Amino acid sequence: MNTQTLSVQDLARLDELQKNIENARDNFLGYPVSKDFDYSEIAHFLQYPINNLGDPFEDGTYKVQTHELEKEVVAFFAKLFRANPNDYWGYVTNGGSESNLYGLYLARELFSNAMVYYSETTHYSVKKNIQLLNIPSIVIRSQPNGEIDYEDFENTVRLNRHKPAIVLATFGTTMKEAKDDVSRLRAILRNLAIQDCYIHCDAALSGTYGAFMEPRLPFDFFDGADSISISGHKFIGSPIPCGVIITKRSNRDRISKGVSYIGSLDTTITGSRNGHSPLFLWYALKKMNVEGLRNRYLKSLEVAEYCEMRLRAIGVAAWRNPNALTVVFPKTSAEIKLKWQLATEGDIAHIICMPNVTKEQIDNFIEDMEKSVLVEEDAFEFSF
Ligand SMILES: *Cc1c(COP(=O)(O)O)cnc(C)c1O
């Protein structure tokens, strides 16, 4: 490659960029992204043109790939999600959105003429995916805590019982981290005698730690899901956004098409696929394992409880869904929102206590909140 060295100005721009990124990273509480990872031990793999083209479970022609590790990542989550050990499949995606697209694609290929049911609080990627796939859909009401309204679900499906049902359940909604009960949705479908049905569980946010919740909330294959999405860059953390889709192998087999050019099956959404992400995820899982993930969750849960308690102590009406790492509270002043990069929707804001969030950070945030609550009270008095 014909290259030249970067100019002084360009080098300065890179320095500036790094400073900005570092500063932004250190001061956000509102988005579900872990930042406590260290992949330096495998950083040298960045010098290879890794491409996981094709199906990870088939031998392709292109060998600069990480399929073996990708399969281990898929197997890890299939086991954690209690899939049938003889009937699972999956791959590492570009994120939860692609994983959702895959689940819906699979469901549509299995059941033409189906209707998709999803709740008001479903992630925005789902609506777009349904549009891309051109499947008719109906929005189901959500309860105030963000969980699907089971009664509305039952009544709506009853009206359309002549059609196959594809249900998009969410395990950890974006704003309130509400979890739809997959067993209960499955039972409703059974009671209505809907034979052709499929439940995709969007567990992008909470799936990675769902197995460690006590009491357990139903979301996995054993509970009645047909496919599950997770994001890899949220709870685990990764320099590159990524996700995983886990499905039943038998379902995938019904839609796979062979492609001779790649010597593999074209079972994935994109052709060329990121081969570094599976490597990062594999490394993180080897370092943490199931016990490490469990401890990571329990520690985060403690921080979330602490955050909720501290907010309540200064008079802020904070609350959490059961087992959630997300603390919900009324939206804050613009200043605090900006400083802590708090995601806001309507009149609520939240803090997501991902593993990197510490009690010290919560203390600093509370200090800001306390000041701002005082300012608001002053303003209130002035208005009289
Ligand atoms: C984050 C998230 C997604 C999208 O995942 P990406 O990895 O950002 O593509 C989908 N659904 C839910 C519930 C999420 O939290």
Side-chain angles (χ1 to χ4, degrees):
M1 205 164 37
N2 196 1
T3 58
Q4 55 189 33
T5 46
L6 284 186
S7 65
V8 175
Q9 288 92 331
D10 288 339
L11 286 173
R13 283 187 66 190
L14 287 180
D15 274 346
E16 176 80 14
L17 177 66
Q18 185 175 7
K19 267 190 219 113
N20 289 344
I21 286 178
E22 210 159 273
N23 186 40
R25 175 199 64 182
D26 293 342
N27 285 306
F28 76 73
L29 293 176
Y31 289 90
V33 171
S34 297
K35 40 203 179 180
D36 59 340
F37 51 81
D38 179 4
Y39 292 108
S40 47
E41 203 175 342
I42 50 172
H44 55 285
F45 280 98
L46 281 175
Q47 64 192 304
Y48 304 107
I50 306 180
N51 189 329
N52 278 13
L53 196 66
D55 187 312
F57 288 80
E58 306 291 328
D59 284 334
T61 319
Y62 189 71
K63 298 296 184 206
V64 191
Q65 35 90 338
T66 60
H67 282 168
E68 282 306 312
L69 306 191
E70 185 175 13
K71 281 191 284 187
E72 286 180 34
V73 170
V74 169
F76 180 93
F77 286 110
K79 189 169 175 210
L80 195 66
F81 299 158
R82 302 186 296 179
N84 176 344
N86 301 313
D87 187 19
Y88 73 85
W89 180 84
Y91 70 97
V92 174
T93 63
N94 289 302
S97 306
E98 185 189 339
S99 302
N100 285 341
L101 179 60
Y102 198 84
L104 287 166
Y105 166 59
L106 197 55
R108 189 199 66 179
E109 295 301 290
L110 293 172
F111 301 116
S112 50
N113 306 318
M115 180 71 82
V116 181
Y117 304 89
Y118 66 92
S119 88
E120 287 170 301
T121 50
T122 301
H123 189 262
Y124 62 84
S125 65
V126 169
K127 288 159 219 172
K128 183 177 53 197
N129 288 340
I130 289 172
Q131 250 179 334
L132 281 170
L133 293 166
N134 198 24
I135 327 175
S137 62
I138 301 184
V139 182
I140 308 295
R141 262 200 303 272
S142 295
Q143 303 177 49
N145 76 336
E147 191 174 346
I148 193 167
D149 183 325
Y150 301 96
E151 209 171 304
D152 191 34
F153 174 70
E154 178 159 9
N155 293 334
T156 311
V157 176
R158 186 181 286 118
L159 290 176
N160 298 280
R161 59 188 302 171
H162 54 287
K163 287 191 165 197
I166 300 173
V167 184
L168 199 300
T170 305
F171 191 69
T173 60
T174 308
M175 276 313 283
K176 300 175 179 168
E177 202 184 328
K179 287 116 187 155
D180 298 337
D181 183 328
V182 166
S183 294
R184 195 160 165 193
L185 295 170
R186 182 58 82 185
I188 291 169
L189 293 169
R190 203 180 304 119
N191 286 343
L192 292 171
I194 312 280
Q195 297 217 317
D196 288 346
C197 56
Y198 187 104
I199 301 182
H200 173 76
C201 180
D202 175 5
L205 179 61
S206 306
T208 321
Y209 49 90
F212 312 124
M213 292 177 182
E214 285 174 25
R216 227 193 114 85
L217 302 174
F219 79 101
D220 69 9
F221 288 93
F222 193 78
D223 299 316
D226 293 297
S227 50
I228 302 177
S229 298
I230 55 166
S231 289
H233 55 283
K234 291 184 176 171
F235 186 72
I236 292 176
S238 160
I240 305 168
C242 59
V244 184
I245 173 73
I246 309 286
T247 71
K248 296 178 177 176
R249 187 174 186 99
S250 45
N251 285 342
R252 182 225 62 163
D253 288 348
R254 286 165 63 180
I255 66 157
S256 56
K257 307 173 186 80
V259 177
S260 68
Y261 176 70
I262 59 172
S264 179
L265 292 175
D266 186 25
T267 43
T268 54
I269 300 271
T270 63
S272 288
R273 294 191 302 111
N274 183 331
H276 287 92
S277 295
L279 173 59
F280 290 133
L281 285 180
W282 178 88
Y283 179 81
L285 293 175
K286 280 284 166 191
K287 294 280 262 196
M288 282 190 254
N289 221 315
V290 176
E291 272 321 296
L293 273 182
R294 185 196 308 276
N295 291 335
R296 196 168 164 80
Y297 169 62
L298 293 178
K299 266 193 213 153
S300 304
L301 191 61
E302 202 181 303
V303 176
E305 284 163 353
Y306 178 75
C307 175
E308 181 189 7
M309 185 268 292
R310 291 289 321 261
L311 279 169
R312 281 171 169 270
I314 59 165
V316 176
W319 63 277
R320 285 182 311 119
N321 266 306
N323 305 331
L325 302 183
T326 304
V327 184
V328 185
F329 47 91
K331 72 170 185 215
T332 64
S333 68
E335 200 185 354
I336 290 191
K337 175 182 168 174
L338 194 69
K339 174 169 173 191
W340 295 96
Q341 301 169 56
L342 298 183
T344 303
E345 195 182 270
D347 45 14
I348 63 163
H350 67 192
I351 284 186
I352 306 187
C353 298
M354 281 285 142
N356 53 278
V357 176
T358 60
K359 287 188 179 169
E360 289 71 46
Q361 269 175 315
I362 299 295
D363 289 340
N364 292 338
F365 169 72
I366 295 288
E367 211 170 291
D368 285 352
M369 283 292 280
E370 210 160 9
K371 276 183 219 149
S372 123
V373 169
L374 285 178
V375 169
E376 270 166 35
E377 277 171 6
D378 281 354
F380 187 68
E381 273 164 15
F382 273 129
S383 70
F384 277 88

